[in-house]
Structures are given as C-alpha cells and as structure tokens.
Amino acid sequence: MEEKILEILKKMDARFDKMDARLDRMDARFEKVEEEIGEIKTEVVAIKTQQEENTLILRALEHKADVNKAEHDKMILEISGISGDVKSLRKDVSKVEVV
C-alpha cells in the first residue's frame, strides 16, 4: 500500500514538475509580450507626437494657402483696375490723336 502511495506521489511530483516547466515557459512568454507592449506604447507615443507635428504643419500650410489666395484675389482686382485705367488712357490718347 505504501508503495502505491509512493508511486502515486512520484507521478504527482512528475506532473507538478511538468506544470512548473509549463508555467516557467508561460512566464517567459508573458515577459516577452510585456516587452513588446512596452515597445508598442513607445512607438504609439512617437506616432502621436509626429501626428501632432504634422497637424500643425498642415494647419500652417492651409493658412498660408488662404493668405496666398487672398493676395491672388487682391492682385486680380488691382490688375483689373490697372487694365481699366490703361483702356481709359488709350481712349484719351486716341482722342488727342484725332485732335
């Protein structure tokens, strides 16, 4: 009877050893996962920082485009005015030539 108990205990001990080995492997895997998660977090922070910078650059470019459009529109109005003045001067010159 004692031999059977010892045999059962040895089998249980062997199973516990296997379970310990599995737990050790699982711990190692979890440590790797934790390291990878840490690396991913670091990358996400860098991506967020870059995204914020890109957003600021984009807003600055949009503002510059708006300013350029306004300046362009202003130049078109000024050119139209100058064109009208030139036409008026041509008429005046034509009248002077006729006289």
Side-chain angles (χ1 to χ4, degrees), residues 55-69:
T55 300
L56 291 174
I57 291 169
L58 179 60
R59 286 183 183 157
L61 290 172
E62 287 173 339
H63 176 71
K64 183 66 176 172
D66 290 342
V67 169
N68 284 341
K69 174 71 170 123

Side-chain angles (χ1 to χ4, degrees), residues 1-12:
M1 179 79 161
E2 288 179 16
E3 288 180 23
K4 284 187 176 184
I5 293 173
L6 285 174
E7 186 178 320
I8 291 171
L9 288 175
K10 285 181 184 179
K11 286 181 182 180
M12 287 177 61

Side-chain angles (χ1 to χ4, degrees), residues 14-28:
R15 286 184 179 173
F16 284 132
D17 287 342
K18 288 179 184 179
M19 287 174 52
D20 282 342
R22 284 182 180 173
L23 287 174
D24 288 342
R25 288 193 304 268
M26 288 175 62
D27 282 344

